[in-house]
Short mmCIF file of all heavy atoms in Angstrom, two decimals:
data_model
loop_
_atom_site.label_atom_id
_atom_site.label_comp_id
_atom_site.label_asym_id
_atom_site.label_seq_id
_atom_site.Cartn_x
_atom_site.Cartn_y
_atom_site.Cartn_z
N CYS A 5 22.93 -18.14 -10.40
CA CYS A 5 23.94 -17.61 -9.49
C CYS A 5 24.81 -18.78 -9.03
O CYS A 5 24.29 -19.81 -8.61
CB CYS A 5 23.27 -16.94 -8.29
SG CYS A 5 24.43 -16.34 -7.05
N PHE A 6 26.11 -18.63 -9.14
CA PHE A 6 27.05 -19.72 -8.83
C PHE A 6 27.89 -19.29 -7.64
O PHE A 6 28.90 -18.61 -7.79
CB PHE A 6 27.91 -20.00 -10.06
CG PHE A 6 28.66 -21.31 -10.02
CD1 PHE A 6 28.55 -22.17 -8.95
CD2 PHE A 6 29.47 -21.68 -11.08
CE1 PHE A 6 29.22 -23.38 -8.93
CE2 PHE A 6 30.16 -22.89 -11.08
CZ PHE A 6 30.04 -23.73 -10.00
N ILE A 7 27.48 -19.68 -6.44
CA ILE A 7 28.22 -19.34 -5.22
C ILE A 7 29.25 -20.44 -4.96
O ILE A 7 28.91 -21.61 -4.85
CB ILE A 7 27.27 -19.23 -4.01
CG1 ILE A 7 26.19 -18.17 -4.28
CG2 ILE A 7 28.05 -18.88 -2.75
CD1 ILE A 7 25.13 -18.10 -3.19
N ILE A 8 30.52 -20.03 -4.88
CA ILE A 8 31.61 -21.00 -4.74
C ILE A 8 32.37 -20.71 -3.45
O ILE A 8 32.79 -19.58 -3.20
CB ILE A 8 32.58 -20.90 -5.93
CG1 ILE A 8 31.82 -21.07 -7.25
CG2 ILE A 8 33.68 -21.95 -5.81
CD1 ILE A 8 32.65 -20.70 -8.46
N GLN A 9 32.54 -21.74 -2.64
CA GLN A 9 33.30 -21.61 -1.41
C GLN A 9 34.71 -22.18 -1.64
O GLN A 9 34.87 -23.32 -2.06
CB GLN A 9 32.60 -22.36 -0.26
CG GLN A 9 33.29 -22.17 1.08
CD GLN A 9 32.55 -22.90 2.20
OE1 GLN A 9 31.36 -23.18 2.08
NE2 GLN A 9 33.25 -23.21 3.26
N MET A 10 35.71 -21.36 -1.36
CA MET A 10 37.09 -21.77 -1.58
C MET A 10 37.50 -22.88 -0.61
O MET A 10 36.92 -23.04 0.46
CB MET A 10 38.03 -20.57 -1.40
CG MET A 10 37.79 -19.43 -2.39
SD MET A 10 38.01 -19.92 -4.11
CE MET A 10 36.30 -20.00 -4.67
N PRO A 11 38.53 -23.68 -0.97
CA PRO A 11 38.98 -24.75 -0.06
C PRO A 11 39.55 -24.16 1.22
O PRO A 11 40.27 -23.16 1.20
CB PRO A 11 40.08 -25.46 -0.88
CG PRO A 11 40.51 -24.46 -1.90
CD PRO A 11 39.30 -23.64 -2.22
N ARG A 12 39.21 -24.76 2.33
CA ARG A 12 39.70 -24.27 3.62
C ARG A 12 39.90 -25.44 4.58
O ARG A 12 39.16 -26.43 4.54
CB ARG A 12 38.70 -23.26 4.22
CG ARG A 12 37.29 -23.76 4.31
CD ARG A 12 36.29 -22.62 4.50
NE ARG A 12 36.31 -22.05 5.83
CZ ARG A 12 35.59 -22.51 6.85
NH1 ARG A 12 34.80 -23.57 6.69
NH2 ARG A 12 35.64 -21.94 8.02
N PHE A 13 40.91 -25.33 5.43
CA PHE A 13 41.23 -26.41 6.33
C PHE A 13 41.47 -25.90 7.74
O PHE A 13 42.42 -26.29 8.42
CB PHE A 13 42.47 -27.18 5.82
CG PHE A 13 42.18 -28.00 4.60
CD1 PHE A 13 42.26 -27.43 3.35
CD2 PHE A 13 41.82 -29.32 4.70
CE1 PHE A 13 42.00 -28.16 2.21
CE2 PHE A 13 41.55 -30.08 3.57
CZ PHE A 13 41.64 -29.50 2.32
N GLY A 14 40.63 -24.99 8.19
CA GLY A 14 40.72 -24.51 9.55
C GLY A 14 41.89 -23.57 9.80
O GLY A 14 42.51 -23.05 8.87
N LYS A 15 42.22 -23.36 11.04
CA LYS A 15 43.22 -22.36 11.41
C LYS A 15 44.65 -22.87 11.25
O LYS A 15 45.58 -22.08 11.05
CB LYS A 15 43.00 -21.93 12.86
CG LYS A 15 41.63 -21.30 13.11
CD LYS A 15 41.44 -20.97 14.58
CE LYS A 15 40.07 -20.36 14.84
NZ LYS A 15 39.84 -20.08 16.27
N GLU A 16 44.85 -24.18 11.34
CA GLU A 16 46.20 -24.71 11.38
C GLU A 16 46.82 -24.87 9.99
O GLU A 16 48.03 -24.73 9.82
CB GLU A 16 46.20 -26.07 12.09
CG GLU A 16 45.68 -26.02 13.52
CD GLU A 16 46.49 -25.07 14.39
OE1 GLU A 16 47.73 -25.05 14.23
OE2 GLU A 16 45.89 -24.35 15.21
N TYR A 17 46.03 -25.19 8.99
CA TYR A 17 46.58 -25.49 7.67
C TYR A 17 45.74 -24.86 6.57
O TYR A 17 44.53 -25.00 6.55
CB TYR A 17 46.64 -27.01 7.45
CG TYR A 17 47.02 -27.41 6.05
CD1 TYR A 17 48.31 -27.20 5.57
CD2 TYR A 17 46.08 -27.98 5.20
CE1 TYR A 17 48.66 -27.56 4.28
CE2 TYR A 17 46.42 -28.34 3.90
CZ TYR A 17 47.71 -28.13 3.45
OH TYR A 17 48.04 -28.48 2.17
N LYS A 18 46.40 -24.16 5.68
CA LYS A 18 45.74 -23.59 4.51
C LYS A 18 46.35 -24.22 3.27
O LYS A 18 47.57 -24.24 3.11
CB LYS A 18 45.94 -22.07 4.47
CG LYS A 18 45.30 -21.32 5.64
CD LYS A 18 43.79 -21.30 5.51
CE LYS A 18 43.15 -20.41 6.57
NZ LYS A 18 43.31 -20.88 7.93
N MET A 19 45.50 -24.76 2.38
CA MET A 19 46.01 -25.40 1.18
C MET A 19 46.74 -24.40 0.28
O MET A 19 47.77 -24.72 -0.31
CB MET A 19 44.87 -26.08 0.42
CG MET A 19 45.33 -26.77 -0.86
SD MET A 19 44.03 -27.72 -1.67
CE MET A 19 43.96 -29.18 -0.63
N PHE A 20 46.19 -23.19 0.17
CA PHE A 20 46.80 -22.15 -0.65
C PHE A 20 46.91 -20.87 0.17
O PHE A 20 45.96 -20.47 0.83
CB PHE A 20 45.96 -21.88 -1.90
CG PHE A 20 45.72 -23.10 -2.75
CD1 PHE A 20 44.47 -23.69 -2.78
CD2 PHE A 20 46.74 -23.65 -3.51
CE1 PHE A 20 44.24 -24.82 -3.54
CE2 PHE A 20 46.52 -24.77 -4.28
CZ PHE A 20 45.28 -25.37 -4.30
N SER A 21 48.08 -20.25 0.10
CA SER A 21 48.24 -18.98 0.83
C SER A 21 47.49 -17.86 0.15
O SER A 21 47.07 -16.91 0.80
CB SER A 21 49.73 -18.63 0.92
OG SER A 21 50.30 -18.50 -0.37
N LYS A 22 47.33 -17.97 -1.18
CA LYS A 22 46.59 -16.96 -1.93
C LYS A 22 45.80 -17.64 -3.04
O LYS A 22 46.23 -18.67 -3.58
CB LYS A 22 47.53 -15.92 -2.56
CG LYS A 22 48.37 -15.13 -1.58
CD LYS A 22 49.28 -14.16 -2.33
CE LYS A 22 50.16 -13.36 -1.38
NZ LYS A 22 51.16 -14.21 -0.71
N ILE A 23 44.65 -17.07 -3.39
CA ILE A 23 43.86 -17.51 -4.53
C ILE A 23 43.48 -16.27 -5.33
O ILE A 23 42.95 -15.30 -4.78
CB ILE A 23 42.58 -18.26 -4.09
CG1 ILE A 23 42.94 -19.54 -3.34
CG2 ILE A 23 41.70 -18.60 -5.29
CD1 ILE A 23 41.76 -20.26 -2.72
N ILE A 24 43.77 -16.29 -6.63
CA ILE A 24 43.47 -15.14 -7.48
C ILE A 24 42.02 -15.21 -7.94
O ILE A 24 41.60 -16.21 -8.52
CB ILE A 24 44.40 -15.11 -8.71
CG1 ILE A 24 45.87 -15.04 -8.27
CG2 ILE A 24 44.05 -13.94 -9.63
CD1 ILE A 24 46.85 -15.20 -9.41
N PRO A 25 41.22 -14.18 -7.70
CA PRO A 25 39.83 -14.20 -8.18
C PRO A 25 39.77 -14.19 -9.70
O PRO A 25 40.49 -13.43 -10.35
CB PRO A 25 39.25 -12.90 -7.61
CG PRO A 25 40.18 -12.48 -6.53
CD PRO A 25 41.53 -12.96 -6.93
N SER A 26 38.95 -15.04 -10.26
CA SER A 26 38.69 -15.00 -11.70
C SER A 26 37.49 -14.09 -11.93
O SER A 26 36.39 -14.38 -11.46
CB SER A 26 38.38 -16.41 -12.23
OG SER A 26 39.50 -17.27 -12.06
N LEU A 27 37.70 -12.99 -12.64
CA LEU A 27 36.63 -12.02 -12.81
C LEU A 27 35.52 -12.55 -13.71
O LEU A 27 34.39 -12.09 -13.65
CB LEU A 27 37.19 -10.72 -13.38
CG LEU A 27 38.27 -10.04 -12.50
CD1 LEU A 27 38.68 -8.71 -13.10
CD2 LEU A 27 37.77 -9.85 -11.08
N GLU A 28 35.85 -13.53 -14.55
CA GLU A 28 34.84 -14.25 -15.33
C GLU A 28 35.10 -15.73 -15.17
O GLU A 28 36.25 -16.16 -15.04
CB GLU A 28 34.90 -13.86 -16.81
CG GLU A 28 34.48 -12.42 -17.09
CD GLU A 28 34.47 -12.11 -18.58
OE1 GLU A 28 34.96 -12.96 -19.36
OE2 GLU A 28 33.98 -11.04 -18.95
N LEU A 29 34.03 -16.52 -15.19
CA LEU A 29 34.15 -17.96 -15.01
C LEU A 29 33.57 -18.66 -16.23
O LEU A 29 32.39 -18.49 -16.55
CB LEU A 29 33.41 -18.39 -13.74
CG LEU A 29 33.75 -19.77 -13.17
CD1 LEU A 29 35.20 -19.82 -12.71
CD2 LEU A 29 32.83 -20.12 -12.02
N ASP A 30 34.39 -19.45 -16.92
CA ASP A 30 33.95 -20.20 -18.09
C ASP A 30 33.48 -21.59 -17.63
O ASP A 30 34.29 -22.40 -17.18
CB ASP A 30 35.10 -20.33 -19.08
CG ASP A 30 34.68 -21.02 -20.38
OD1 ASP A 30 33.54 -21.51 -20.46
OD2 ASP A 30 35.51 -21.08 -21.31
N ILE A 31 32.17 -21.84 -17.73
CA ILE A 31 31.64 -23.12 -17.26
C ILE A 31 31.28 -24.05 -18.43
O ILE A 31 30.59 -25.05 -18.24
CB ILE A 31 30.39 -22.92 -16.37
CG1 ILE A 31 29.26 -22.23 -17.15
CG2 ILE A 31 30.75 -22.12 -15.12
CD1 ILE A 31 27.94 -22.22 -16.40
N THR A 32 31.79 -23.73 -19.63
CA THR A 32 31.47 -24.53 -20.81
C THR A 32 31.75 -26.01 -20.59
O THR A 32 30.92 -26.87 -20.87
CB THR A 32 32.28 -24.03 -22.03
OG1 THR A 32 32.03 -22.65 -22.20
CG2 THR A 32 31.87 -24.78 -23.29
N ASP A 33 32.94 -26.32 -20.08
CA ASP A 33 33.35 -27.71 -19.89
C ASP A 33 32.72 -28.34 -18.64
O ASP A 33 32.91 -29.53 -18.40
CB ASP A 33 34.88 -27.81 -19.80
CG ASP A 33 35.53 -27.47 -21.13
OD1 ASP A 33 34.85 -27.57 -22.16
OD2 ASP A 33 36.73 -27.11 -21.13
N LEU A 34 32.02 -27.56 -17.86
CA LEU A 34 31.41 -28.08 -16.64
C LEU A 34 29.94 -28.45 -16.84
O LEU A 34 29.32 -29.05 -15.97
CB LEU A 34 31.51 -27.05 -15.51
CG LEU A 34 32.89 -26.46 -15.22
CD1 LEU A 34 32.81 -25.47 -14.06
CD2 LEU A 34 33.91 -27.54 -14.93
N LEU A 35 29.38 -28.08 -18.00
CA LEU A 35 27.95 -28.31 -18.25
C LEU A 35 27.70 -29.71 -18.79
O LEU A 35 28.43 -30.21 -19.64
CB LEU A 35 27.42 -27.29 -19.26
CG LEU A 35 27.13 -25.89 -18.72
CD1 LEU A 35 26.84 -24.94 -19.87
CD2 LEU A 35 25.96 -25.91 -17.75
N LEU A 36 26.65 -30.32 -18.31
CA LEU A 36 26.25 -31.64 -18.76
C LEU A 36 25.63 -31.55 -20.15
O LEU A 36 24.76 -30.72 -20.41
CB LEU A 36 25.22 -32.23 -17.77
CG LEU A 36 24.74 -33.65 -18.03
CD1 LEU A 36 25.87 -34.65 -17.80
CD2 LEU A 36 23.56 -33.98 -17.10
N ASP A 37 26.08 -32.41 -21.06
CA ASP A 37 25.52 -32.50 -22.43
C ASP A 37 25.56 -31.17 -23.16
O ASP A 37 24.68 -30.87 -23.96
CB ASP A 37 24.07 -33.02 -22.39
CG ASP A 37 23.98 -34.40 -21.78
OD1 ASP A 37 24.93 -35.18 -21.95
OD2 ASP A 37 22.95 -34.70 -21.14
N SER A 38 26.58 -30.39 -22.92
CA SER A 38 26.71 -29.12 -23.63
C SER A 38 27.51 -29.33 -24.92
O SER A 38 28.57 -29.96 -24.89
CB SER A 38 27.43 -28.10 -22.74
OG SER A 38 27.72 -26.92 -23.46
N PRO A 39 27.00 -28.86 -26.06
CA PRO A 39 27.76 -29.01 -27.32
C PRO A 39 29.06 -28.21 -27.26
O PRO A 39 29.05 -27.03 -26.92
CB PRO A 39 26.81 -28.45 -28.38
CG PRO A 39 25.89 -27.55 -27.63
CD PRO A 39 25.73 -28.15 -26.27
N ARG A 40 30.16 -28.89 -27.58
CA ARG A 40 31.47 -28.24 -27.52
C ARG A 40 32.29 -28.60 -28.76
O ARG A 40 32.03 -29.58 -29.44
CB ARG A 40 32.21 -28.66 -26.25
CG ARG A 40 31.69 -27.95 -25.02
CD ARG A 40 32.35 -28.48 -23.77
NE ARG A 40 31.91 -29.85 -23.48
CZ ARG A 40 32.49 -30.64 -22.60
NH1 ARG A 40 33.53 -30.21 -21.93
NH2 ARG A 40 32.04 -31.85 -22.39
N GLU A 41 33.30 -27.81 -28.96
CA GLU A 41 34.13 -27.97 -30.15
C GLU A 41 35.20 -29.03 -29.93
O GLU A 41 35.83 -29.09 -28.87
CB GLU A 41 34.79 -26.62 -30.46
CG GLU A 41 35.63 -26.59 -31.70
CD GLU A 41 36.25 -25.22 -31.93
OE1 GLU A 41 35.52 -24.28 -32.30
OE2 GLU A 41 37.48 -25.09 -31.72
N CYS A 42 35.41 -29.87 -30.93
CA CYS A 42 36.49 -30.85 -30.88
C CYS A 42 37.82 -30.11 -30.97
O CYS A 42 38.01 -29.24 -31.82
CB CYS A 42 36.37 -31.85 -32.04
SG CYS A 42 37.79 -32.96 -32.16
N CYS A 43 38.76 -30.47 -30.07
CA CYS A 43 40.03 -29.75 -30.02
C CYS A 43 40.94 -30.12 -31.20
O CYS A 43 41.96 -29.46 -31.42
CB CYS A 43 40.74 -30.03 -28.70
SG CYS A 43 41.14 -31.77 -28.43
N LEU A 44 40.56 -31.17 -31.96
CA LEU A 44 41.40 -31.59 -33.10
C LEU A 44 40.87 -31.07 -34.43
O LEU A 44 41.61 -30.47 -35.20
CB LEU A 44 41.49 -33.12 -33.14
CG LEU A 44 42.17 -33.79 -31.94
CD1 LEU A 44 42.17 -35.31 -32.11
CD2 LEU A 44 43.60 -33.27 -31.78
N CYS A 45 39.57 -31.30 -34.69
CA CYS A 45 39.05 -30.95 -36.01
C CYS A 45 38.16 -29.70 -36.02
O CYS A 45 37.87 -29.15 -37.08
CB CYS A 45 38.26 -32.14 -36.58
SG CYS A 45 36.71 -32.48 -35.70
N GLY A 46 37.70 -29.28 -34.85
CA GLY A 46 36.88 -28.08 -34.79
C GLY A 46 35.39 -28.31 -34.95
O GLY A 46 34.60 -27.40 -34.78
N ASP A 47 34.98 -29.56 -35.28
CA ASP A 47 33.56 -29.87 -35.37
C ASP A 47 32.98 -30.07 -33.97
O ASP A 47 33.70 -30.03 -32.97
CB ASP A 47 33.36 -31.14 -36.21
CG ASP A 47 33.64 -30.89 -37.69
OD1 ASP A 47 33.59 -29.72 -38.10
OD2 ASP A 47 33.93 -31.87 -38.41
N VAL A 48 31.66 -30.33 -33.92
CA VAL A 48 31.03 -30.61 -32.63
C VAL A 48 31.59 -31.92 -32.08
O VAL A 48 31.60 -32.95 -32.76
CB VAL A 48 29.50 -30.71 -32.78
CG1 VAL A 48 28.87 -31.07 -31.44
CG2 VAL A 48 28.93 -29.38 -33.27
#
């Protein structure tokens, strides 16, 4: 379960007026030592 708290700066200042919910979250690039595809050749 990945509970994420959005950025907030109290009552006086909000960094973003709106944030669009992502209905799916891709964590491929966030995983440690996860095998991923090379963006140039397509190999690991």
Side-chain angles (χ1 to χ4, degrees):
C5 177
F6 195 0
I7 302 174
I8 305 168
Q9 185 179 337
M10 298 299 105
R12 52 197 287 272
F13 289 85
K15 299 177 181 177
E16 301 301 321
Y17 172 69
K18 296 288 187 294
M19 180 174 283
F20 304 107
S21 59
K22 299 179 181 68
I23 297 173
I24 301 172
S26 297
L27 300 185
E28 292 184 351
L29 197 64
D30 184 353
I31 62 170
T32 305
D33 292 339
L34 309 181
L35 282 171
L36 183 68
D37 299 328
S38 173
R40 284 175 290 168
E41 183 180 288
C42 173
C43 61
L44 296 179
C45 69
D47 289 338
V48 177

